[in-house]
Amino acid sequence: MAPMTNFAVKDPYRYLEGLGNYHSSEALQGAIPPVNNTPQKLPLGLRTERISGSAFTSPRDQYLQTFLYRSQSSMLHGDFVPLEVTTGYGPQTSVTAAQISPNSYFWPSFPVPERAHWITGQALLGTNGDPVKKEGTAVWVFSATEDMPARHVFSSLDGETLIIPQSGALDIQTELGFLMVRQNEIAVIPRGVRYRVTLPDGKPCRGFVCELFQGHFRLPDLGIVGTTGLANVRDFQIPTATFDGALEDGVAKANNTGGNDWTIVSRLAGKLWHCTQTYTPFDVAGWHGTCYPYKFDLGRFCPLGNTLFDEHDPSLYTVLSARQHGAEPGTAVVDFVIVPPRWNVSEDTLWLPYYHRNTMQEFFSAIVNNQDPACPLNDVNRVANRFAPFGAGLHGAMSTHGASDAEMRAAQDLDTSKPQKLQMDGLTPFILETERPLVFSEWAYSCAQKNPQAKGRLAKM
């Protein structure tokens, strides 16, 4: 059997494969002009639009751009005005972070609104930078119990968005095509790309968002490891173009909204803004380039480990990393790390992480990788209104963390001469390791345990 997740929610979409590759996709044949990106007259009556995700003079291997060929220019919209959120999580969706201390934090659960969609169901947990200066990151909690309103789309103007479902699935329609993102998958949406989120079969979804204000998520360098292992390039999936309309007399015509406007909601400097336009944002008949949304099945991650003794550093579990340019070599703005099911064979070695003080901050939670609907962690009626098995936790820089005394004693008595498969309880812990400390919103600070002594599941991370 191939090492990949057998998802309970099936994926109806087709994908391109290979992160970082130059991709091209047409929803309507002939939509992309050959050679010349901007001919005087485009085929099918289309217009050229480019998304530049990096500076024009970036090194060739780091330059991110995509040309879109659409029936209307996306500049045709009304004024952006502030959007007040009163439902879902309410005003805390745009509260400024204000709380910081040397303590560790633990959230047994997060308050979850009874009803929320992608826009109203995001609450700021903390940030460690400034999106206006393009520095640092932000971490958001999300809980969605219903589809986004009809003819609404969302985009982050603050940064590249890493979406981490803890439980449930998201059907994401982007300007470049569809992504079905399920528990044990992640997705990345480039800065400024507009998308709409609905729920397959109407089932709720909860999880986390990491907004990267500077740079881009990339695969970590493998160095002496070689050319394969961890997250492999070929296993990342990129959407194919999908045109919301039809070809009429040789001209690409977007679907008529019947007089009902589309609403564009964008996040800028942590606050929500909105405007309206009279046409669908999903009128892209073709695109080509290197700046695109993508997703990855965490079941395809190929973990590496010690085969004789000792414990390797958690950096060996890194899926994606955002480099901190101008800092010391190897420093990252943020690393996305998972601890997946794997074999442990190290002899005469403690099979628990040793006590640790880290120069990086470690924000952690768990993803439900068990796809069986009968699993208690997937019981919608039990867990729809709370995070399970727990919310999250954070260890600040140089904050000591590790196993409880009871777990440590049990690990010391373990027979390490026999291989054992670990992390087989239906959960995959993940960690967001950030260079700078997270400053919490009042909402997140108020529902956190400070410096908890009983770390529970942390010992298995």
Side-chain angles (χ1 to χ4, degrees):
M1 181 178 177
M4 52 194 293
T5 304
N6 182 19
F7 292 101
V9 177
K10 301 309 175 186
D11 194 334
Y13 306 125
R14 295 184 301 109
Y15 297 99
L16 306 168
E17 295 182 344
L19 182 60
N21 293 343
Y22 198 106
H23 287 293
S24 177
S25 180
E26 289 184 335
L28 300 177
Q29 188 174 0
I32 300 176
V35 186
N36 186 356
N37 296 316
T38 56
Q40 187 175 15
K41 290 186 178 181
L42 277 169
L44 312 183
L46 297 170
R47 291 162 174 77
T48 303
E49 185 171 298
R50 182 168 70 165
I51 294 178
S52 291
S54 56
F56 297 139
T57 54
S58 295
R60 184 184 290 262
D61 64 339
Q62 298 177 24
Y63 187 62
L64 298 179
Q65 70 164 8
T66 291
F67 281 92
L68 311 175
Y69 299 96
R70 60 195 323 158
S71 63
Q72 296 283 347
S73 165
S74 65
M75 76 176 186
L76 302 176
H77 59 75
D79 290 343
F80 276 98
V81 295
L83 175 64
E84 182 181 359
V85 175
T86 57
T87 59
Y89 274 114
Q92 62 256 36
T93 57
S94 59
V95 167
T96 302
Q99 294 286 350
I100 188 171
S101 83
N103 286 313
S104 293
Y105 296 84
F106 188 75
W107 291 267
S109 188
F110 292 107
V112 174
E114 290 187 11
R115 295 184 57 189
H117 51 75
W118 185 254
I119 299 170
T120 62
Q122 295 184 56
L124 179 65
L125 190 141
T127 184
N128 60 11
D130 185 346
V132 176
K133 297 178 181 179
K134 291 190 175 182
E135 295 176 345
T137 62
V139 177
W140 301 76
V141 175
F142 79 81
S143 178
T145 62
E146 57 191 38
D147 296 345
M148 283 175 58
R151 293 181 295 279
H152 278 62
V153 296
F154 180 84
S155 70
S156 171
L157 307 183
D158 285 339
E160 196 164 85
T161 302
L162 170 62
I163 300 172
I164 311 166
Q166 184 190 53
S167 179
L170 303 172
D171 194 343
I172 304 177
Q173 182 181 12
T174 79
E175 293 180 270
L176 283 74
F178 283 90
L179 292 170
M180 180 66 73
V181 186
R182 301 151 293 185
Q183 62 191 56
N184 214 41
E185 284 185 309
I186 57 169
V188 173
I189 311 291
R191 181 197 305 265
V193 169
R194 294 169 179 173
Y195 60 98
R196 172 173 166 75
V197 178
T198 57
L199 303 176
D201 301 322
K203 294 181 179 179
C205 183
R206 61 174 185 268
F208 302 88
V209 167
C210 179
E211 245 175 345
L212 175 63
F213 299 152
Q214 61 186 106
H216 303 275
F217 287 104
R218 300 179 184 274
L219 292 176
D221 293 331
L222 294 180
I224 199 171
V225 169
T227 58
T228 61
L230 309 187
N232 288 310
V233 169
R234 63 174 294 196
D235 292 318
F236 286 79
Q237 297 178 301
I238 295 91
T240 54
T242 306
F243 182 68
D244 185 11
L247 197 60
E248 299 178 10
D249 299 324
V251 177
K253 297 284 188 181
N255 276 336
N256 190 321
T257 60
N260 296 312
D261 288 345
W262 281 79
T263 298
I264 313 297
V265 179
S266 295
R267 184 154 59 214
L268 178 65
K271 299 180 180 180
L272 295 179
W273 301 75
H274 69 126
C275 71
T276 59
Q277 63 184 44
T278 59
Y279 59 95
T280 174
F282 305 117
D283 62 337
V284 177
W287 62 266
H288 66 88
T290 55
C291 184
Y292 40 67
Y294 57 87
K295 72 167 186 170
F296 177 70
D297 171 8
L298 299 178
R300 302 186 183 206
F301 185 84
C302 180
L304 305 177
N306 293 354
T307 58
L308 190 58
F309 65 88
D310 212 345
E311 180 175 331
H312 55 66
D313 291 328
S315 53
L316 202 55
Y317 295 136
T318 301
V319 181
L320 293 171
S321 181
R323 302 170 187 166
Q324 173 60 284
H325 296 287
E328 293 183 3
T331 304
V333 180
V334 60
D335 289 325
F336 172 66
V337 178
I338 64 171
V339 187
R342 67 208 182 279
W343 285 95
N344 203 337
V345 300
S346 299
E347 293 182 295
D348 192 24
T349 295
L350 186 68
W351 285 8
L352 282 178
Y354 40 77
Y355 297 109
H356 188 203
R357 285 183 289 175
N358 189 0
T359 187
M360 303 282 278
Q361 282 59 227
E362 299 181 5
F363 174 84
F364 63 89
S365 186
I367 297 164
V368 181
N369 62 45
N370 190 318
Q371 302 293 313
D372 185 356
C375 173
L377 295 171
N378 291 322
D379 186 339
V380 174
N381 295 323
R382 279 189 57 188
V383 301
N385 293 323
R386 67 183 181 91
F387 277 68
F390 61 86
L394 180 132
H395 298 300
M398 297 305 167
S399 173
T400 309
H401 52 280
S404 67
D405 285 343
E407 290 168 319
M408 185 63 67
R409 287 193 296 270
Q412 290 172 336
D413 294 335
L414 192 68
D415 181 2
T416 61
S417 66
K418 299 177 181 179
Q420 181 178 335
K421 199 166 187 179
L422 306 180
Q423 216 62 52
M424 296 302 293
D425 55 359
L427 299 170
T428 294
F430 78 84
I431 305 168
L432 292 170
E433 293 207 0
T434 63
E435 181 197 19
R436 299 179 180 180
L438 280 175
V439 183
F440 298 117
S441 66
E442 293 289 354
W443 168 79
Y445 187 79
S446 66
C447 59
Q449 294 180 2
K450 287 77 175 177
N451 196 30
Q453 298 302 310
K455 297 182 175 59
R457 300 199 52 79
L458 177 60
K460 298 182 181 180
M461 295 184 186

